[in-house]
C-alpha cells in the first residue's frame, strides 16, 4: 500500500498542499484560518498522517522526551512540582522539554503542537485552562497526556492535583476561629481551576461558619505586583469598611498585599490579617513570616512523573485523579481582630 502523503491529504480535503503544510506547522499555522486548521488536524489524525517526512521509518523509534508546559517559571510552587517531575523522568532515562505558557491560550497551542510534531513520548501540563481543553483531548488520543496542579472540568484526563477546596476551607476556618467576621479574597486568574477551587472552598467554609465574605477582588496575574495593585485598590476606601482579614490565592499576591498595607499605614496582623497559599521560601523568610497553606509539591510532581512513565510503558490510565492533601501553616501574619 502506498504511503499516505500530504498531497493525498490535501486532495481529500480539497485544499492546496501548501495550505495543509502551513496548517500542520506550529510555526506557520497562524497563517491559516482557525476552522481550516482544525479541519486539517482532525483529518490528519483520522488517517494517522504526520508531517515528519521520515515518519515511516521512525514511527517506532523512541524520542525519550516528555513535553512539560508550565504557566510561570517565576512561581516557586510550580518550579518545585517541576523538579519532582524531572527527578522521576531522569530515573527513567527521559528528558524534559519545558516551555512556559504565561497563561496565553495561543502560546499554549503553539507549544503543544510543537510537542506533537517533535513526537514527545508524553505531555505533562501544569498550565491547563479550559481554553486548552479541546486540544488537550485531541493530543491525548495519540500521546500519553497528564494534567498536574490544574484540572479541567470539560475533559477527563489523567490528573494529579492538590485538594485546593480543602486548603481554602482550612484558611476560612482558621480566620473564623480567630474571630474574624469580615473577609475578602484576592483571587488568581479564574481561567485556572486551582483558583476557582480555592475561591469555592473558601466561600463555602466561610458561609458554614456564618462569616461574611466581601466581593472577591480578581487578579489578572497571580503575582506580587497584582497583590500590591489590588491592595492599593482595597485600602483606598473608608477604613471602617475594610475587611479584618484577607485570603490571597498565593504567597506572591499575599506579600504584595502586605507591602500595600504597609504603604497605606496598616499593620499586619494588628490592623489586618493576611493568609497566602503554597508555603514558598518567601512566605517563610519574609520579615513578617506569612500564614499560608503548604502545597504538596513533591507528592504532586512525583506522582505526575510516575503516571506519565506508566502511560508511556502502556499502563492503564487511572479512572480517578490523584488528590493530595494541603496543610495549614500558621505564622505571624494572622491574629485576632482588634476592636474598631
Amino acid at each position: 500500500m502506498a504511503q499516505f502523503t500530504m498531497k493525498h491529504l490535501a486532495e481529500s480535503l480539497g485544499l492546496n498542499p501548501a495550505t495543509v503544510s502551513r496548517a500542520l506547522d506550529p510555526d506557520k499555522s497562524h497563517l491559516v484560518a482557525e476552522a481550516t486548521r482544525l479541519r486539517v488536524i482532525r483529518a490528519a489524525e483520522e488517517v494517522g498522517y504526520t508531517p515528519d517526512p521520515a515518519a515511516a521509518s521512525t514511527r517506532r523509534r523512541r524520542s525519550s522526551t516528555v513535553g512539560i508546559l508550565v504557566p510561570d517559571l517565576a512561581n516557586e510552587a510550580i518550579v518545585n512540582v517541576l523538579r519532582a517531575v524531572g527527578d522521576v523522568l531522569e530515573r527513567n532515562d527521559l528528558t524534559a522539554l519545558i516551555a512556559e505558557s504565561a497563561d496565553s491560550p495561543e502560546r499554549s497551542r503553539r507549544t503543544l503542537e510543537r510537542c506533537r510534531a517533535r513526537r514527545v513520548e508524553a505531555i505533562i501540563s501544569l498550565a491547563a485552562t479550559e481554553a486548552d481543553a479541546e486540544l488537550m483531548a485531541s493530543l491525548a488520543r495519540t500521546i500519553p497526556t497528564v494534567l498536574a496542579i490544574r484540572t479541567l472540568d470539560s475533559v477527563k484526563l489523567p490528573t494529579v492535583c492538590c485538594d485546593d477546596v480543602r486548603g481554602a476551607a482550612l484558611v476560612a476556618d482558621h480566620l473564623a476561629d480567630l474571630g474574624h467576621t469580615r473577609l475578602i479574597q484576592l483571587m488568581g486568574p479564574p481561567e485556572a481551576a486551582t483558583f476557582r477551587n480555592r475561591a469555592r472552598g473558601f466561600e463555602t467554609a466561610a458561609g458554614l461558619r456564618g462569616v461574611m465574605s466581601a466581593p472577591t477582588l480578581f487578579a489578572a496575574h497571580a503575582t506580587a505586583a497584582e497583590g500590591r495593585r489590588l491592595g492599593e485598590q482595597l485600602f483606598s476606601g473608608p477604613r471602617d469598611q475594610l475587611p479584618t482579614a484577607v485570603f490571597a490565592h498565593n504567597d506572591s499576591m499575599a506579600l504584595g498585599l502586605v507591602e500595600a498595607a504597609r504603604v497605606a499605614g496598616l499593620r499586619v496582623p494588628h490592623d489586618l490579617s493576611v493568609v497566602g497559599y503554597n508555603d514558598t521560601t518567601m512566605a517563610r523568610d519574609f520579615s513578617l513570616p506569612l500564614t499560608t497553606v503548604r502545597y504538596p509539591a513533591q507528592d504532586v510532581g512525583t506522582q505526575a512523573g510516575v503516571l506519565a512513565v506508566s502511560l508511556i510503558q502502556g499502563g492503564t490510565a487511572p479512572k480517578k485523579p490523584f488528590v493530595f492533601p494541603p496543610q495549614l501553616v500558621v505564622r505571624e501574619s494572622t491574629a485576632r481582630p482588634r476592636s474598631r
Side-chain angles (χ1 to χ4, degrees):
M1 181 177 176
Q3 182 183 351
F4 195 90
T5 67
M6 184 180 295
K7 181 178 179 181
H8 294 142
L9 182 61
E11 289 175 350
S12 70
L13 293 169
L15 297 173
N16 189 295
T19 300
V20 172
S21 176
R22 283 192 291 268
L24 295 173
D25 185 340
D27 294 322
K28 297 180 180 179
S29 60
H30 65 281
L31 300 173
V32 180
E34 182 69 4
T36 301
R37 186 184 69 80
L38 291 174
R39 182 177 164 221
V40 171
I41 289 173
R42 291 191 184 107
E45 289 175 351
E46 288 173 2
V47 299
Y49 174 75
T50 170
D52 181 357
S57 61
T58 64
R59 189 177 301 276
R60 298 185 181 276
R61 190 173 65 200
R62 295 189 67 198
S63 68
S64 296
T65 58
V66 173
I68 305 179
L69 185 64
V70 301
D72 179 10
L73 284 169
N75 185 315
E76 182 183 329
I78 289 170
V79 171
N80 288 340
V81 172
L82 183 61
R83 286 186 179 127
V85 172
D87 288 344
V88 175
L89 299 184
E90 175 66 23
R91 291 196 297 270
N92 287 274
D93 296 323
L94 293 164
T95 299
L97 302 180
I98 302 165
E100 184 180 41
S101 73
D103 275 330
S104 163
E106 181 59 24
R107 188 165 169 176
S108 293
R109 183 191 65 77
R110 288 198 302 270
T111 298
L112 292 170
E113 293 286 11
R114 288 181 184 125
C115 285
R116 191 206 308 259
R118 284 160 176 74
R119 294 183 171 277
V120 297
E121 296 200 41
I123 291 171
I124 303 175
S125 176
L126 284 60
T129 69
E130 292 300 327
D132 308 321
E134 183 178 356
L135 178 56
M136 295 296 293
S138 170
L139 290 168
R141 287 196 285 270
T142 55
I143 304 171
T145 301
V146 174
L147 303 180
I149 300 181
R150 295 181 179 181
T151 62
L152 288 175
D153 296 331
S154 58
V155 178
K156 301 302 180 186
L157 294 173
T159 299
V160 186
C161 62
C162 168
D163 188 348
D164 285 310
V165 172
R166 175 60 181 155
L170 291 173
V171 175
D173 285 338
H174 170 62
L175 295 174
D177 288 343
L178 289 173
H180 289 278
T181 57
R182 287 183 292 176
L183 313 177
I184 193 169
Q185 296 187 76
L186 302 191
M187 181 178 175
E191 296 81 11
T194 45
F195 300 127
R196 295 198 304 273
N197 290 338
R198 290 170 194 176
R200 178 162 55 90
F202 187 82
E203 290 171 1
T204 300
L208 290 173
R209 297 294 297 269
V211 178
M212 180 177 67
S213 182
T216 299
L217 297 178
F218 295 93
H221 305 283
T223 61
E226 275 292 270
R228 284 193 297 272
R229 182 185 70 81
L230 293 175
E232 291 166 358
Q233 176 183 325
L234 179 64
F235 304 141
S236 65
R239 291 296 171 92
D240 61 353
Q241 295 180 20
L242 290 178
T244 61
V246 179
F247 169 41
H249 282 194
N250 72 11
D251 291 342
S252 294
M253 289 194 293
L255 294 174
L257 177 88
V258 170
E259 174 61 17
R262 185 193 65 79
V263 172
L266 295 170
R267 293 168 295 171
V268 177
H270 183 74
D271 299 311
L272 181 77
S273 286
V274 178
V275 183
Y277 205 107
N278 286 337
D279 192 26
T280 58
T281 302
M282 291 187 300
R284 298 190 294 273
D285 296 345
F286 193 56
S287 57
L288 178 72
L290 186 70
T291 294
T292 186
V293 176
R294 180 168 297 150
Y295 191 93
Q298 185 68 36
D299 292 333
V300 170
T302 298
Q303 185 60 59
V306 168
L307 182 52
V309 171
S310 173
L311 295 175
I312 290 170
Q313 295 173 347
T316 302
K319 295 181 179 180
K320 295 182 179 180
F322 291 91
V323 183
F324 291 94
Q327 178 186 352
L328 180 70
V329 182
V330 179
R331 296 197 179 99
E332 298 176 27
S333 65
T334 51
R336 296 188 65 81
R338 68 181 180 88
S339 299
R340 292 183 176 176

